[in-house]
Amino acid sequence: MSRDRVSSHWGDADHTRQLAEIHWMGSPVVRAYLNRLVSGDPAQDWLTWTWNRWVRGQDLTVAVLGCGEGWLERSIAGDPRIAANDACDVAADAVERARQQAAAEGLDNLRYQVIDLNLDRLPRARYDVVIAHSVLHHVENLEHCYGELERVLAPDGLLILNEYVGPTRFQFTQRQMAVINRLLARLPERFRRSAATGGIYPRKEVPTVEEMIATDPSEAVRSASLEEWTSRTFEVLWRAPYGGTILHHLLYDIVQNFSPTEIWDDRLLAFLCFVEEALMAEGVLPADFVVAVAQLPGGPGRRGGSPDRRPRALPLLGDGEGENGAVATAEVHSRPSWNRRLGLAWPSVRDTLQEWSSGFPECDWWTWVLAEAGPAPGDRVLVLVDDQRRWLAGQVAAGGIDPVVIDPRHEAIPAGPFDLVLTNGVLGLAEDRQALVSAIAQRLVAGGRWLGDEYGGPTGGFGSRRALHYARQCLPHLGVPVASARWRRSVAGWYQERRRAAAVAMEELLAESFAVELRRPLGGAVRQRVFSTYEAVAGDQVPEDDRALALAAMMCDLERWLIEAGALENDDFCFIARRRSS
């Protein structure tokens, strides 16, 4: 790796200034999120928290690695406990600017050196505190670097690091990129504009290794090995993963498009942070950035003790007010209000669900499935619907077939036989789902098909505590402050014992007599509670703001990712099933 190339790259003042403007941490909303993950307080950054919590003693010798233009060592230089503060960087021009700024501020306890951590020795034989901020992932010769850290750290000294520990050379995983590009596609076009080129990002790509080396041969050169080397050389006293798995690549070069004075811009950014946090919490994605405190093995003890870190819940944005004034505080109920539209009035939600069911955002499930697997001439068709869904019979009749249409709650099912049965929501309304499924099987000929769009979740429509938790976290981003979650103890106890029993039983009921040829989940556990509550508080009118519509679609995406990870139940699904011969 060329030391001169790296020094020139990071010593360029114009480059570092532009990077600060387009860096993913350039938004106060993002910084507040990262602060909360590390310190538990959106207003307290990682350095302030770790320094105040962990550093003890007097006449401290401190080393700052990768100082750049010197903001970090200057921010702690006023601590009277520091006797000497050495700062170093490989970029000579940046070090010189740091030295000049320290002199201008009258900071005479700072000493600067140009040091390559791949090759050079650190200046002292004993440090009480070594701080490495966004520098170790630029080091290729970790063997030498960690050997030096081990040599210079005092027996009771602390290593404080804040580092990118994600995939080496930014070779992000397919799962990361799928989430990143889905969220990017949801953003209105003006938020996807590149500051560097002025063009619109259609998607984000994984840079090739060759591109990475050409731009900066040190960037993330062995980043995936950092945590292994840290734990191999030191005892890690405390560790706080703080994300970046999505936001780092997604927001780079577009974060500047979000205005800090626009509440809906803040809500969009805050929800992107929430998506990342939720996917990390459920084990879908790891954290790519970490703050940690470590000491040499067998040291005399932990400086400052082990703090009890409890991250706070996401703040309610906008102080509980929508664009048109105050909005009443809402309660999220375990069972949503079924007389609501449940988000289907929102074009972005409707398009999302249509894409999941039919494969096309502009085509609903029934239009698609009737065209692909609908009745053939001469088929006898039974349509089971409630009184409000008789439009489905009209779609069948438009194809030249006169179906038998009943509401099974109030009418007896004809004896049959039928070649095709269509159901839309009747299973969710049935008092005895098993009896209804058996009745459908008995009326179908062998090989006959059942096309359904159904609720298959818990009996009575009650959601889990986790579904309520995510619904409560989603609503403030739409401008609806949430007071509480309504939960019935009897249902809670039942559901804790049989977490997915109802949904599994539904599939088992189908399996007894049917071969399921196609099954497409539509979520609902969170979506229905979010939009039922929103519509009850804010009314049925859909916001015209494209940022609100983007948020609604992202909520559907998050719900689906959590369902796929097994963190949430899937309540609604579409299916094609064929009657078994025996």
Side-chain angles (χ1 to χ4, degrees):
M1 181 165 59
S2 170
R3 174 172 176 164
D4 291 341
R5 282 184 58 198
V6 175
S7 174
S8 175
H9 180 76
W10 291 105
D12 185 338
D14 291 336
H15 166 72
T16 54
R17 190 178 305 111
Q18 182 188 38
L19 181 62
E21 295 172 358
I22 64 176
H23 193 267
W24 68 285
M25 297 183 190
S27 161
V29 172
V30 175
R31 290 196 297 274
Y33 155 71
L34 301 177
N35 289 347
R36 180 175 56 81
L37 291 184
V38 174
S39 71
D41 182 352
Q44 188 166 153
D45 65 81
W46 70 274
L47 179 61
T48 303
W49 191 83
T50 54
W51 185 265
N52 291 334
R53 274 287 192 172
W54 289 92
V55 177
R56 298 290 183 269
Q58 299 294 326
D59 297 324
L60 300 173
T61 53
V62 179
V64 175
L65 311 183
C67 65
E69 296 184 356
W71 72 267
L72 195 156
E73 63 272 13
R74 289 198 301 272
S75 67
I76 60 174
D79 191 324
R81 297 174 299 166
I82 299 176
N85 194 339
D86 295 339
C88 66
D89 199 284
V90 72
D93 291 342
V95 168
E96 181 56 33
R97 290 193 294 273
R99 183 182 288 114
Q100 292 174 4
Q101 185 61 37
E105 295 181 19
L107 302 175
D108 54 8
N109 65 340
L110 295 179
R111 183 176 70 166
Y112 286 96
Q113 285 187 266
V114 176
I115 289 179
D116 183 349
L117 295 176
N118 289 286
L119 304 170
D120 299 334
R121 291 173 66 85
L122 293 173
R124 294 180 189 266
R126 181 188 181 278
Y127 285 104
D128 298 299
V129 183
V130 175
I131 304 175
H133 175 233
S134 295
V135 62
L136 298 182
H137 72 274
H138 288 277
V139 177
E140 183 174 21
N141 190 354
L142 293 177
E143 293 80 357
H144 170 80
C145 179
Y146 273 82
E148 279 296 288
L149 291 174
E150 187 177 19
R151 179 183 68 83
V152 301
L153 198 64
D156 62 344
L158 293 177
L159 170 65
I160 300 174
L161 61 86
N162 180 347
E163 285 292 342
Y164 168 76
V165 295
T168 295
R169 302 266 192 213
F170 294 169
Q171 298 304 290
F172 305 116
T173 66
Q174 289 185 350
R175 176 174 286 183
Q176 272 180 277
M177 295 307 300
V179 173
I180 287 168
N181 281 315
R182 182 71 171 184
L183 294 172
L184 180 70
R186 296 301 194 191
L187 293 175
E189 186 175 279
R190 63 186 179 279
F191 293 103
R192 294 185 278 119
R193 186 173 300 281
S194 165
T197 67
I200 302 297
Y201 280 104
R203 58 183 290 108
K204 289 292 184 85
E205 304 288 350
V206 177
T208 66
V209 172
E210 291 74 21
E211 288 170 340
M212 292 288 295
I213 294 174
T215 302
D216 175 11
S218 74
E219 185 64 78
V221 61
R222 290 180 68 184
S223 54
S225 301
L226 280 182
E227 291 211 90
E228 177 189 351
W229 271 96
T230 302
S231 60
R232 181 190 302 179
T233 310
F234 299 97
E235 176 190 357
V236 177
L237 305 178
W238 174 82
R239 175 182 180 273
Y242 69 90
T245 316
I246 296 172
L247 301 182
H248 173 211
H249 198 42
L250 172 63
L251 294 181
Y252 177 78
D253 195 28
I254 66 169
V255 72
Q256 71 283 344
N257 298 319
F258 294 82
S259 171
T261 62
E262 289 284 337
I263 184 62
W264 278 108
D265 287 20
D266 279 358
R267 286 173 178 162
L268 262 181
L269 269 181
F271 192 73
L272 291 173
C273 294
F274 176 61
V275 170
E276 178 179 84
E277 184 177 4
L279 294 182
M280 289 192 302
E282 300 295 352
V284 179
L285 293 172
D288 277 358
F289 289 79
V290 166
V291 174
V293 177
Q295 69 175 11
L296 291 170
R302 302 180 178 189
R303 289 175 177 261
S306 179
D308 183 11
R309 184 175 62 90
R310 292 189 178 96
R312 298 180 185 177
L314 289 173
L316 301 185
L317 298 173
D319 297 323
E321 293 192 359
E323 285 185 307
N324 299 318
V327 177
T329 302
E331 287 186 344
V332 184
H333 293 255
S334 178
R335 180 172 179 171
S337 303
W338 296 112
N339 60 332
R340 299 285 173 182
R341 296 293 304 277
L342 304 179
L344 295 180
W346 295 58
S348 57
V349 174
R350 191 170 58 247
D351 290 350
T352 298
L353 298 181
Q354 289 180 170
E355 178 187 359
W356 293 350
S357 61
S358 72
F360 305 97
E362 67 280 2
C363 182
D364 66 86
W365 161 256
W366 285 112
T367 300
W368 178 82
V369 78
L370 288 175
E372 293 291 322
D379 278 355
R380 191 169 184 218
V381 180
L382 173 64
V383 179
L384 303 180
V385 290
D386 65 18
D387 290 335
Q388 314 222 337
R389 294 185 172 92
R390 291 184 180 264
W391 56 265
L392 179 57
Q395 286 192 271
V396 178
I401 292 179
D402 188 19
V404 177
V405 185
I406 69 163
D407 183 341
R409 297 174 300 168
H410 311 300
E411 305 168 79
I413 302 177
F418 293 95
D419 302 288
L420 184 68
V421 172
L422 281 65
T423 66
N424 187 9
V426 296
L427 291 179
L429 301 173
E431 292 185 7
D432 188 338
R433 284 193 263 190
Q434 183 172 9
L436 183 55
V437 172
S438 298
I440 292 171
Q442 292 169 10
R443 268 70 170 180
L444 272 172
V445 300
R449 287 164 298 135
W450 177 5
L451 312 182
D453 179 0
E454 292 294 345
Y455 170 79
T459 300
F462 291 102
S464 68
R465 288 184 182 275
R466 190 168 289 185
L468 265 69
H469 164 76
Y470 281 111
R472 291 189 69 223
Q473 293 293 317
C474 285
L475 275 162
H477 299 283
L478 292 176
V480 178
V482 179
S484 65
R486 184 73 59 86
W487 186 262
R488 297 186 183 180
R489 289 187 180 276
S490 59
V491 176
W494 172 85
Y495 203 32
Q496 291 302 320
E497 295 173 7
R498 301 176 61 197
R499 179 170 173 75
R500 294 183 178 84
V504 172
M506 182 64 218
E507 296 193 350
E508 290 178 353
L509 288 175
L510 288 176
E512 290 180 7
S513 302
F514 294 90
V516 178
E517 297 180 343
L518 181 145
R519 182 186 185 280
R520 291 180 175 168
L522 298 178
V526 173
R527 169 180 54 84
Q528 290 174 350
R529 287 160 184 85
V530 166
F531 290 102
S532 172
T533 306
Y534 180 91
E535 291 162 10
V537 172
D540 293 334
Q541 185 173 357
V542 178
E544 296 182 358
D545 197 297
D546 57 358
R547 294 165 293 186
L549 299 180
L551 269 169
M554 289 176 185
M555 289 177 185
C556 295
D557 292 331
L558 174 61
E559 179 185 59
R560 185 160 189 180
W561 290 325
L562 295 176
I563 289 170
E564 291 172 350
L568 289 175
E569 304 76 24
N570 179 72
D571 280 359
D572 300 320
F573 61 98
C574 300
F575 63 90
I576 301 174
R578 189 175 294 274
R579 177 73 164 88
R580 298 184 189 277
S581 299
S582 58

